[in-house]
Structure formats: structure tokens, C-alpha cells
Amino acid sequence: MKITVIGAGYVGLVTAVGFADLGNEIMCVDKMPSKLSKLSKGISPIYEPGLTELLQKQIGKGKIHFTDKIEDGITFSDIIFLCVGTPQSDDGKADLSQVEEASIDIAQNMNGYKLIIEKSTVPVNTHQWVKTVIKRNLKKDIKFDVASNPEFLKEGSALDDFVNPDRIVVGVESEKAKDIFKELYKPFVKKGISLIITTPAAAELIKHASNSFLAMKISYINMVSELCEKVGADVDMVAEGMGYDKRIGKDFLCAGIGYGGSCFPKDVKAFIKIAEEHGIDFSLIEEVDKINIKRRTNFIKRIKNVLWIIKDKNIAVWGLSFKPNTDDIREAPSIDIVGELEKLKANLKLYDPKARENFKSIFPEKQNIKYFDDKYKALKNADALLILTDWDEFKGADLDKVKENMRLPIIIDGRNTYQPKDMKKKGFEYYSIGRENFDPKGVWK
Ligand code: UDX
């Protein structure tokens, strides 16, 4: 099938490459010249495992094309995925100006029936606005459908999530739209993946409700971790015990310094705003957001409590991205933590396997901020090591080498990378989240 994708961001690019790999022909439209020039050369502007390789393969096969001409994109096919950005505006609501702009472009260039599909995360009933905007701007009487098909992919495993989703959700209002989706997703249904067909409003809500629920799981276990620290229980064991209950499940119960990224923080806030506009009490979700913000301030407090004076201390940081296997630093806890330590005049030695360049755009290299391409080199003379992202390579680190390089063997771990008992045996002063933190060393809290 021929498919147009508007917006070559995370969701758009993975959707484009994923559908191309299934044999479809894709036209991907984006306005940003720097992005387009990279893409046409087969270079992915974002780091995502396997994406560059698959992109190059599909370009080689002639299955994927890139353009900045919206009219070429719209006349190319009847199926148009809207994958433009829906960033957070100052009041917490989703900023839908790019959705409106794309809808006007579609209306002005429509040359026949189109199925316009919202893939970006949008507030419930955005499809009504898309319909209204298209109708207002249409020059001729042309039939079209607007549908919702939210994307659930996770950064770091986006391609795998595209190929093997837990479910596919589509919200449609016509039989024609329903048939197009059935054809489009035939290869997935053949594999036994559930295709849930519902209304556009329900589909839009499924996305926001799912992300807020997952964020709630994370804040819940983080809240429990605080109690664990007071009573001397291990939060990882509590989470494991809870997770065996199938109704609860094991995933998304890792306590730490909270969630970040381009989705959870923004979607939780947007969901609260939607409820507010409809006069519904969403204080449960408001607490999820508050707990998450407190994770960062509490972690900074912990660093101060362990190290006392921060000024001139050599502090090594492992992990800057908001999660492993990505170079994305949007809403990453590292931004607040490094920012605060910089203010307090620490000497920061930063290491991340992929996110270094993105982090430099916020914290350029200078006298007290240095970047390293080797995690052990970042530890030279360190008074402490902070672990802020759960990259696999930290789990497998040579701890003897870690200790040898550091001036003082102090690790403040925001992701529960190691076992406290092992660390003690190795001679580390080790602080983690929600585990035996009734403070054996008598450090003031
Ligand atoms: C999320 C949703 O999972 C995905 O379905 C949606 O389409 C986009 O938003 P993503 O932001 O890529 O995906 O990452 P995810 O793996 O969900 O992690 C989000 C954040 O939560 C990360 O900062 C991660 O470190 C944190 N997290 C996750 C925890 O702190 N604990 C956990 O147990 C799980």
C-alpha cells in the first residue's frame, strides 16, 4: 500500500521505516532541512537500535522517500499518518498547532479521498477539531475520514515494539476507514496480534490513560520505596513479590529517580488538563506527577547528605539519557541533578554511551563540566559516582577498576544497579533507592 507520513520525528520515522519493511511504499514529509538531508543519505537523526540499518535498506529498495513538499506527500497516497509534534505548552496542555497546520495543508492539497490518521498523542476529541479544520479549508467537496491509531512504542526498543506490539488500537467512524486499517494491519493480525477497533474518542483516551497508568505504577513503587528506606525493607523484593500477582504484573515497578522522556511527563500533565477542562477530579494523577518531581529533589538532597560540601568535589556521573538504549535527554532526571550540582560548583565528570552530544547542548563543556568517552576515565579522583540511567554496561562494570580509579569509593545509585551486600563486601559506601537505607553508616539524612 502507499502511505504518507507527516513528521519524521521518533514516531513518524519508526512508523515510516516499519511499514516500508512490510512492503509498503512510503513518502515521509518533514519541514526541517537538516533532518531531511540526513534522512535522504540514510542517516537517522536519532539513535534507536537498528533504525539506521533498516532505513538504509529501505532507501536502497526504493520503498521510502523523503520530501519537504507537503503537496507531494498529500497527493502521494490515500493514507496519511499525522506524526507531528504535540509538545507541552506553558499551561501544561498539549500544543496542537502543528496538528492544525498539517490539517490545513491536507485540506488545501486534497486530490481525492483521504484517510487521515492521528498517530501522535493528542487529547481526546482532537479528531473532531481535525475534521472541522479540514472541512473549513477544503476547496472542493471531497470525502475523507479522520481516525485515531495511537502509537505505543518505547524508545530504545521502538522497532521491536512496531513489529511486535501488545495490541493495535484504531478508532474509526466509517466502514471504509475500518477496511483500510484491516488491510494495513493484516500482517500483524496474521501473527495473532489483537486489532482493537473502536471509536476515535476511545482510541485517543486509550493512549493517554495507558501512559498515565504506567507512570502511576512507577510513582507508586517510588512512594513505597520511601517507606522501605525508613523500615529497612528492600523495595526490589517488595516489587517482585507484588509482580507475581498477574493482576499487577512485574513491569514498570522499578524504583528509581523517576520517569522522564518525551511522553510520560508531558502526557500525565496533558491528561490532568483534559480532566480539569471537563470538571473531573484527577488528583490521583496529580500526585503521580508530584511524586515524580520529588524523586529528583530527594536524590539531590541525598547527594548533599552523603557528601556534605558539594563545592569543588569531583563528582562522576554515569548515565545522562532519560532511559537506556537512547540518546534522548528530554525531561531526563540528569538535567535537574547535574544543573543543581553545577550551581553548587561541583567538578562534574560526565559519561553516557550515547547521549553526550545532546547533553552538551544544555551543558557545554567548561572548567567544571567535563565529558568522557570512557566510563572509568570519568572516575579519576572522583569523590563520588552517581548512576542516573540503567544502561546495561554499568551493571557489568569492573568494580575493582571503579574503586581503583576513585579517590573515595562512594556510589550514590539512582537505578539500583548493584546489590548493597556485594558493594559493602567490595568496600564501597553504597547508597541506592529503597534498600536497607536505615543508614548503617550514620550519615545524616
Ligand atoms: C513510553 C511508553 O512506555 C510508550 O508506550 C509510549 O508510546 C511512549 O512513552 P518511553 O518514554 O520510550 O515510552 O519509555 P519507557 O520505557 O516507558 O520509560 C519511561 C520512563 O520511565 C524512563 O525514564 C524510565 O527510566 C522510567 N521507568 C520505567 C522507571 O523509572 N521505572 C520503571 O519501572 C519503568
Side-chain angles (χ1 to χ4, degrees):
M1 294 169 96
K2 280 182 145 190
I3 298 169
T4 298
V5 175
I6 302 180
Y10 236 106
V11 169
L13 194 53
V14 173
T15 303
V17 172
F19 275 121
D21 196 39
L22 290 169
N24 300 289
E25 204 182 323
I26 315 293
M27 177 73 82
C28 195
V29 187
D30 201 286
K31 282 184 172 166
M32 235 204 248
S34 58
K35 209 186 254 183
L36 278 180
S37 88
K38 274 190 177 169
L39 285 168
S40 357
K41 285 181 209 137
I43 305 164
S44 168
I46 44 171
Y47 171 73
E48 182 64 36
L51 189 56
T52 293
E53 293 79 352
L54 202 55
L55 174 66
Q56 286 172 0
K57 188 173 154 198
Q58 297 313 322
I59 291 176
K61 281 179 159 181
K63 287 284 180 195
I64 189 163
H65 318 275
F66 294 96
T67 181
D68 59 353
K69 292 189 183 60
I70 190 83
E71 59 273 25
D72 291 355
I74 290 155
T75 49
F76 177 76
S77 82
D78 300 348
I79 304 170
I80 301 174
F81 278 103
L82 277 182
C83 301
V84 293
T86 54
Q88 189 182 306
S89 49
D90 292 342
D91 61 359
K93 276 190 193 172
D95 172 358
L96 299 173
S97 50
Q98 292 181 52
V99 175
E100 184 184 46
E101 200 183 322
S103 306
I104 297 171
D105 285 339
I106 293 170
Q108 290 176 342
N109 291 285
M110 237 192 233
N111 60 332
Y113 172 84
K114 304 286 167 194
L115 170 60
I116 298 122
I117 308 163
E118 302 166 344
K119 208 147 194 41
S120 319
T121 304
V122 290
V124 62
N125 281 334
T126 298
H127 70 281
Q128 299 284 16
W129 272 113
V130 173
K131 261 197 292 188
T132 305
V133 170
I134 294 177
K135 268 188 203 150
R136 280 181 188 158
N137 289 278
L138 255 183
K139 291 173 188 151
K140 296 176 230 158
D141 182 22
I142 302 174
K143 295 246 168 315
F144 68 94
D145 281 303
V146 175
S148 167
N149 172 212
E151 182 51 69
F152 298 98
L153 59 82
K154 301 183 289 300
E155 292 186 24
S157 58
L159 281 175
D160 194 44
D161 290 341
F162 179 88
V163 179
N164 292 306
D166 288 342
R167 79 305 207 184
I168 295 159
V169 174
V170 300
V172 289
E173 285 178 318
S174 79
E175 282 303 310
K176 182 163 181 163
K178 193 170 160 180
D179 291 343
I180 293 174
F181 274 118
K182 280 188 174 166
E183 184 60 29
L184 192 62
Y185 284 115
K186 212 189 233 170
F188 295 85
V189 174
K190 258 193 194 161
K191 284 197 292 189
I193 291 161
S194 301
L195 175 64
I196 297 153
I197 298 176
T198 179
T199 61
E204 288 164 337
L205 269 179
I206 287 169
K207 172 71 191 197
H208 260 142
S210 299
N211 270 4
S212 295
F213 189 87
L214 291 169
M216 184 176 73
K217 273 187 100 174
I218 299 169
S219 280
Y220 184 86
I221 201 66
N222 280 332
M223 177 187 78
V224 172
S225 79
E226 285 192 28
L227 183 61
C228 286
E229 288 179 5
K230 296 283 180 215
V231 300
D234 183 327
V235 71
D236 290 346
M237 285 179 190
V238 176
E240 194 185 339
M242 286 168 64
Y244 274 100
D245 186 328
K246 287 197 194 77
R247 295 167 302 175
I248 297 173
K250 291 184 183 189
D251 295 337
F252 280 69
L253 286 178
C254 292
I257 45 176
Y259 57 78
S262 66
C263 292
F264 284 175
K266 168 182 82 125
D267 291 354
V268 162
K269 286 187 180 73
F271 207 32
I272 294 167
K273 279 282 160 193
I274 296 164
E276 207 177 281
E277 279 170 13
H278 290 86
I280 312 292
D281 180 2
F282 260 34
S283 46
L284 174 66
I285 308 301
E286 282 168 28
E287 284 308 314
V288 168
D289 188 42
K290 276 190 208 151
I291 290 170
N292 194 56
I293 293 167
K294 220 171 91 192
R295 297 312 292 163
R296 299 168 186 208
T297 46
N298 277 359
F299 193 72
I300 293 167
K301 228 188 259 172
R302 169 160 304 175
I303 299 165
K304 290 179 188 168
N305 290 343
V306 172
L307 297 181
W308 190 25
I309 309 293
I310 302 295
K311 189 170 178 278
D312 295 333
K313 288 250 160 77
N314 292 330
I315 301 180
V317 177
W318 279 5
L320 303 169
S321 56
F322 83 96
K323 64 181 266 189
N325 301 319
T326 179
D327 61 356
D328 198 341
I329 56 161
R330 285 175 289 177
E331 300 286 332
S334 58
I335 296 174
D336 290 343
I337 295 163
V338 167
E340 178 64 17
L341 295 175
E342 192 207 3
K343 261 196 237 153
L344 296 171
K345 302 201 164 25
N347 290 320
L348 293 153
K349 294 152 170 276
L350 313 180
Y351 171 77
D352 188 280
K354 294 285 174 200
R356 180 169 55 170
E357 292 312 312
N358 285 340
F359 212 72
K360 271 187 185 170
S361 65
I362 303 181
F363 296 98
E365 186 138 21
K366 53 182 169 179
Q367 184 65 28
N368 64 334
I369 297 189
K370 298 280 178 232
Y371 290 85
F372 293 81
D373 54 9
D374 178 304
K375 58 178 175 290
Y376 299 108
K377 283 190 190 150
L379 296 172
K380 268 268 169 275
N381 283 323
D383 294 298
L385 163 64
L386 314 180
I387 302 180
L388 305 186
T389 315
D390 40 346
W391 284 93
D392 269 348
E393 67 167 69
F394 302 156
K395 285 176 206 143
D398 178 342
L399 291 170
D400 294 326
K401 209 166 159 185
V402 168
K403 204 167 159 214
E404 259 166 44
N405 276 280
M406 295 180 75
R407 203 181 70 79
L408 293 172
I410 300 175
I411 298 182
I412 310 172
D413 185 356
R415 300 292 180 184
N416 287 359
T417 315
Y418 310 113
Q419 284 306 321
K421 248 194 223 151
D422 302 346
M423 296 306 278
K424 208 171 178 181
K425 248 192 236 155
K426 286 209 170 285
F428 282 97
E429 197 177 316
Y430 178 69
Y431 301 90
S432 59
I433 304 287
R435 300 185 302 178
E436 65 138 43
N437 243 331
F438 40 97
D439 200 14
K441 290 212 176 293
V443 175
W444 178 76
K445 282 190 202 315

